[in-house]
């Protein structure tokens, strides 16, 4: 279909929807009025000729006040007082429709119909106001419909940026996505260049001057000159050297040797500790420390070493000291 045919079909749909909305609103309003009138007559004992205009004024009061607020908002005002008063009147109508019926289930039905009619009219008034603002240029155009999985879930940052760009510049779906990718790439490049530039300048001057230089220099111009002077051949040669088969084979053998050495270190038996009767190694007995009472200084214990067997049995082979002296005097 051509663009004119689509616009004509849209205009027909708008007119059809307007007629359906008006019929729906009239039916909902009648049901809400019936509920309020019957509840007022049976519960409050109000004559029916008095109840009809009274509840109609209550039911339509919120809509009338909100219509006045919508007109003032189209003129550029906020109309907070009218909007608050309209919400209060609508809440009072819904509450009244619920409490005047002894059967609260029936009262809830009438109250829901009253709230539904008010909300439908409120949404319609908001749609008309936004259409007027878009026509006058005071509201950005409707952004494209992005995919849930392909855009919002897989690339949320790019999608948010694309939506903002589409609203500001009026781009379509794919143009906004491409512009968002370019913008994010440019910001990352500028951040990297600014970091290096700040570090290089700070080595020669103070940090404040380095900050000023980063904000004065055009980072996009620096990026363009870096791109123009980039040595692609040298970088390609450097990468191809690392990917040479001989280098990869050597690195593979080195990795295998290192793994074998690690396996030998893991499977190597632990050093055995000698028996209690034999000499103990220095590694088996770690020095201990004791914190002295009343001071914060630590005094190390002396490493305990068992005496030789000859010294441990000397008292069995030689007589005691006093016995040796007595034998000497006697002889």
């Amino acid at each position: 279909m051509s663009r004119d045919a689509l616009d004509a079909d849209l205009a027909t749909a708008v007119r059809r929807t307007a007629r359906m909305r008006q019929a729906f609103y009239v039916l909902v309003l009648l049901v809400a009025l019936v509920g309020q009138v019957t509840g007022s007559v049976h519960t409050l004992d109000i004559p029916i000729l008095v109840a009809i205009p009274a509840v109609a004024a209550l039911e339509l009061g919120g809509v009338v006040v909100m219509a006045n607020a919508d007109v003032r908002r189209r003129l550029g005002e906020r109309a907070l007082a009218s909007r608050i008063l309209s919400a209060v009147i609508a809440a009072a109508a819904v509450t009244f429709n619920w409490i005047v019926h002894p059967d609260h289930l029936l009262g809830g039905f009438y109250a829901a119909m009253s709230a539904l009619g008010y909300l439908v009219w409120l949404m319609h008034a908001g749609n008309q106001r936004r259409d007027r603002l878009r026509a006058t240029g005071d509201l950005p155009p409707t952004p494209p419909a992005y995919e849930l999985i392909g855009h919002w879930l897989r690339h949320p940052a790019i999608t948010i940026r694309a939506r903002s760009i589409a609203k500001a510049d009026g781009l379509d779906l794919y143009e906004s996505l491409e512009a968002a990718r370019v913008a994010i790439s440019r910001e990352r490049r500028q951040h990297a260049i600014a970091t290096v530039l700040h570090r290089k300048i700070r080595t020669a001057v103070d940090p404040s001057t380095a900050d000023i230089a980063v904000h004065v220099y055009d980072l996009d111009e620096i990026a363009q000159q870096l791109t123009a002077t980039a040595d692609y051949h040298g970088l390609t040669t450097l990468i191809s050297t690392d990917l040479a088969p001989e280098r990869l084979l050597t690195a593979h053998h080195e990795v295998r040797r290192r793994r074998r050495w690690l396996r030998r270190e893991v499977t190597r038996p632990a050093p055995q500790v000698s028996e209690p009767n034999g000499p103990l190694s220095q590694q088996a007995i770690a020095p201990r420390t004791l914190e002295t009472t009343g001071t914060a200084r630590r005094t190390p214990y002396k490493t305990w070493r068992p005496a030789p067997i000859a010294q441990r049995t000397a008292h069995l082979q030689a007589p005691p000291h006093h016995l040796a002296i007595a034998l000497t005097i006697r002889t």
Side-chain angles (χ1 to χ4, degrees):
M1 298 178 64
S2 62
R3 186 59 178 265
D4 295 336
L6 291 175
D7 293 340
D9 183 71
L10 179 60
T12 304
V14 170
R15 290 192 297 269
R16 186 187 306 114
T17 304
R19 289 193 296 268
M20 293 174 59
R21 182 178 57 253
Q22 291 175 359
F24 172 78
Y25 185 73
V26 169
L27 291 177
V28 169
L29 181 61
L30 289 177
V31 173
L33 287 176
V34 168
Q36 289 187 354
V37 169
T38 54
S40 302
V41 171
H42 293 290
T43 304
L44 303 179
D45 294 331
I46 299 177
I48 189 170
L49 296 179
V50 178
I52 292 176
V55 297
L58 180 62
E59 187 69 30
L60 295 176
V63 175
V64 172
V65 176
M66 181 55 71
N68 183 36
D70 183 67
V71 172
R72 305 310 302 176
R73 293 180 70 185
R74 292 185 183 185
L75 296 176
E77 300 179 4
R78 300 183 64 184
L80 289 178
S82 298
R83 292 159 62 185
I84 294 174
L85 180 60
S86 173
V88 170
I89 295 175
V94 172
T95 305
F96 179 81
N97 219 348
W98 182 69
I99 63 176
V100 294
H101 292 85
D103 187 0
H104 290 295
L105 183 60
L106 182 61
F109 170 74
Y110 287 127
M113 297 300 290
S114 179
L116 181 60
Y118 178 78
L119 293 177
V120 168
W121 186 90
L122 188 64
M123 288 187 294
H124 173 61
N127 294 335
Q128 286 183 336
R129 185 176 59 86
R130 285 192 297 271
D131 293 339
R132 178 180 175 82
L133 292 176
R134 288 193 181 96
T136 57
D138 296 330
L139 193 68
T142 305
Y146 299 94
E147 299 179 3
L148 177 61
I149 299 177
H151 296 148
W152 287 109
L153 296 181
R154 294 185 60 185
H155 308 286
I158 296 177
T159 307
I160 293 174
R161 177 64 65 85
R163 192 174 188 274
S164 301
I165 294 175
K167 292 173 66 176
D169 300 335
L171 302 180
D172 60 7
L173 176 64
Y174 301 102
E175 291 176 351
S176 62
L177 289 173
E178 183 63 24
R181 293 189 182 95
V182 172
I184 292 176
S185 177
R186 183 174 63 252
E187 289 180 357
R188 292 177 180 175
R189 182 175 63 247
Q190 289 182 354
H191 177 71
I193 293 175
T195 302
V196 175
L197 183 63
H198 189 275
R199 185 173 65 248
K200 293 292 185 182
I201 298 178
R202 192 173 53 185
T203 57
V205 295
D206 57 288
S208 299
T209 307
D211 295 337
I212 295 174
V214 169
H215 290 86
V216 167
Y217 284 108
D218 189 0
L219 301 181
D220 290 334
E221 183 66 24
I222 296 176
Q224 292 178 3
Q225 294 188 11
L226 288 175
T227 303
T229 59
D231 187 6
Y232 291 99
H233 178 71
L235 291 176
T236 305
T237 304
L238 180 63
I239 297 175
S240 62
T241 302
D242 291 337
L243 296 178
E246 297 83 2
R247 188 180 183 88
L248 294 178
L249 186 61
T250 305
H252 177 66
H253 291 321
E254 181 67 24
V255 171
R256 292 185 61 182
R257 287 196 298 270
R258 190 173 301 173
R259 289 177 179 175
R260 287 197 299 268
W261 180 80
L262 290 175
R263 283 197 295 268
R264 287 198 301 268
E265 289 293 327
V266 172
T267 57
R268 180 179 295 177
Q272 298 181 357
V273 182
S274 58
E275 297 295 332
N277 293 333
L280 298 178
S281 61
Q282 292 289 341
Q283 292 79 7
I285 303 176
R288 300 174 59 188
T289 59
L290 177 65
E291 185 174 356
T292 58
T293 304
T295 62
R297 185 179 60 184
R298 293 178 177 271
T299 304
Y301 279 121
K302 294 184 179 180
T303 304
W304 178 81
R305 297 184 180 86
I309 298 178
Q311 296 181 7
R312 286 183 287 173
T313 59
H315 66 282
L316 300 178
Q317 298 176 1
H321 181 68
H322 63 276
L323 184 59
I325 295 176
L327 290 175
T328 303
I329 294 175
R330 184 176 298 178
T331 55

